[in-house]
Amino acid sequence: MTTSSPLTGPDSVPAGASSARPTVTELRLSAFRKHRGATFPVAPLTLFAGPSGSGKSSVLQAYEALARLGAGDELDEAFPDPAACVPESAGPDAQGRRGFRVGCTVDGPAGPVRLDLAVQAEPELRIVGERLTCGRQTLLTTALRDPGRSTVQAAWHTAGSVSVTRAPLPDDRLGTALLPLRVAGKTDGQLRVLAAAEQVVVALRSVFACDPQPYGMRRPVAAGEGRLRRGCDNLAEVLHRTRSECAKRHARLAAAARTGCAGEVADLAVEELGDGTVRALLGRGEGRDATPVGRLGEGELRYLGLALVLLTGPGVLAMDQAAEVPSAYQSLTVLADGFDRCLDPRQARELALLAAEMTARGHVRLVGAVADAGFARGVEGATVVDLVP
């Protein structure tokens, strides 16, 4: 693993603000797919590198699943193929049950908070154990007491006249995400539980999984609210918005296009078509016809999509952040499986440099999976985690 210090600069956030932003700083795959007892650091710019079969995509899958649970999704939405998440060598117990375990650490105002989750995949999908801890103190535990009921028995720290509160919680949702609705916040212990739970939820909700799909990006799209979808298929719609609302960021994106796209790029424009749709164009300079982005190669399209994600933010991305938390204390985390897919080394390095620039400002984090991180070696602020099959 190679680690570098993050960049700093005039566009960095105010002193003290970044440390107050809840962020995932560690992922634990205790038993998930091919990983057993694995712990991975998560820096502002982290690339998991390795050949096919090394498990790098599994790391991002676990992260995204935790994020979906933190956002309130049900268990089957977070893990649509749970049997595939069970380590291949894991045999069933006496009752025929098999499962997997994942977790994370979230740093923030409450200090490092650990969330650990045990999931039963077979014979039916359900959460069978959850633990939320801060320091040496256990704030929440859940356990499956009665397999015939669709609930787990939860116990959370109270520190009032009763030291622990016990109540059933559903076995298909993350208990930590439900605590703000269950805990009154009247005692110091309850306030501590709420602070830890909210810190974890804010960090997990601040995730945007991105995988630009060139085929969908080639077609004109209807003009709408301009929130970029996961596959970036509505790239032109979003550019139509950013061109008028975010002039500085749009100019920065055009500069990135000049670096990552072939030929001269004078501007990144949007054309309104007669049927109410819009399409994106690369302006080629005075006296030359613009090039519709549909004519670009797959690498150029993926490059544009990823650059747009890094340069915008939650207000332009199709995601639901914690609206009750001021933006100065939120940090968007972009998950990009196949970050270098279809890119040549020059494009990949330019994106890594752009990611380093944006993560240094504190509002954006990037966790990506790549086949070969050679393009990122020496990029200040980049952490490369090398995995082997």
Side-chain angles (χ1 to χ4, degrees):
M1 182 178 68
T2 303
T3 307
S4 302
S5 301
L7 292 165
T8 57
D11 293 321
S12 298
V13 296
S18 61
S19 62
R21 292 194 183 107
T23 53
V24 173
T25 55
E26 182 181 83
L27 290 171
R28 290 182 296 281
L29 277 60
S30 303
F32 187 79
R33 290 189 174 267
K34 72 172 299 171
H35 297 286
R36 280 188 174 274
T39 300
F40 301 111
V42 181
L45 172 52
T46 304
L47 297 175
F48 290 90
S52 178
S54 61
K56 55 186 183 293
S57 294
S58 298
V59 179
L60 268 67
Q61 180 191 2
Y63 195 161
E64 184 180 357
L66 286 170
R68 297 192 66 171
L69 290 173
D73 285 2
E74 294 184 0
L75 195 60
D76 60 354
E77 296 173 311
F79 296 103
D81 187 8
C85 300
V86 180
E88 191 172 358
S89 59
D93 63 11
Q95 287 75 41
R97 298 174 298 190
R98 300 171 73 236
F100 52 90
R101 290 178 290 134
V102 295
C104 65
T105 298
V106 177
D107 282 5
V113 179
R114 289 171 58 101
L115 170 67
D116 292 287
L117 198 64
V119 178
Q120 175 186 295
E122 299 171 347
E124 57 183 321
L125 181 63
R126 63 198 315 178
I127 294 174
V128 295
E130 180 178 346
R131 183 179 294 270
L132 186 71
T133 58
C134 186
R136 297 183 178 180
Q137 188 171 39
T138 299
L139 303 178
L140 167 72
T141 58
T142 72
L144 181 64
R145 301 298 185 193
D146 184 352
R149 295 177 178 270
S150 58
T151 60
V152 291
Q153 183 63 36
W156 57 83
H157 181 63
T158 305
S161 57
V162 178
S163 61
V164 174
T165 299
R166 302 182 189 277
L169 292 178
D171 66 357
D172 63 347
R173 292 185 182 272
L174 187 69
T176 297
L178 298 175
L179 285 178
L181 303 175
R182 297 295 189 98
V183 179
K186 294 181 179 180
T187 69
D188 289 342
Q190 290 175 338
L191 290 172
R192 183 170 174 79
V193 170
L194 283 175
E198 289 172 354
Q199 177 169 298
V200 170
V201 169
V202 168
L204 292 178
R205 285 178 61 181
S206 302
V207 167
F208 180 72
C210 176
D211 185 14
Q213 300 295 315
Y215 175 77
M217 298 168 67
R218 298 185 189 281
R219 300 189 297 266
V221 294
E225 64 176 354
R227 286 171 63 86
L228 189 68
R229 295 189 285 262
R230 176 183 185 134
C232 300
D233 54 289
N234 62 331
L235 176 79
E237 174 195 1
V238 177
L239 292 178
H240 189 256
R241 173 185 172 187
T242 61
R243 186 176 175 83
S244 60
E245 295 182 9
C246 315
K248 289 184 178 180
R249 291 293 177 92
H250 189 87
R252 182 67 182 85
L253 180 62
R258 281 192 284 275
T259 304
C261 297
E264 180 184 356
V265 178
D267 190 17
L268 195 56
V270 177
E271 180 184 15
E272 298 184 18
L273 304 178
D275 59 358
T277 61
V278 293
R279 66 174 181 174
L281 307 168
L282 292 186
R284 295 301 192 180
E286 187 175 354
R288 299 182 57 188
D289 292 337
T291 301
V293 297
R295 293 178 176 268
L296 302 182
E298 291 191 354
E300 292 174 302
L301 287 170
R302 282 186 59 84
Y303 175 92
L304 283 177
L306 290 167
L308 177 59
V309 171
L310 291 170
L311 284 166
T312 54
V316 185
L317 304 177
M319 60 179 295
D320 180 24
Q321 275 198 306
E324 67 274 13
V325 179
S327 59
Y329 296 100
Q330 295 191 25
S331 180
L332 167 69
T333 298
V334 178
L335 299 185
D337 195 6
F339 179 76
D340 59 342
R341 189 185 311 133
C342 299
L343 303 181
D344 62 36
R346 175 184 55 86
Q347 292 170 322
R349 184 166 181 83
E350 288 299 328
L351 274 182
L353 291 169
L354 178 61
E357 174 190 341
M358 301 310 296
T359 57
R361 301 183 183 187
H363 284 286
V364 177
R365 297 167 68 88
L366 171 69
V367 180
V370 299
D372 183 354
F375 65 87
R377 310 285 183 184
V379 172
E380 190 174 2
T383 296
V384 176
V385 181
D386 292 302
L387 302 178
V388 295

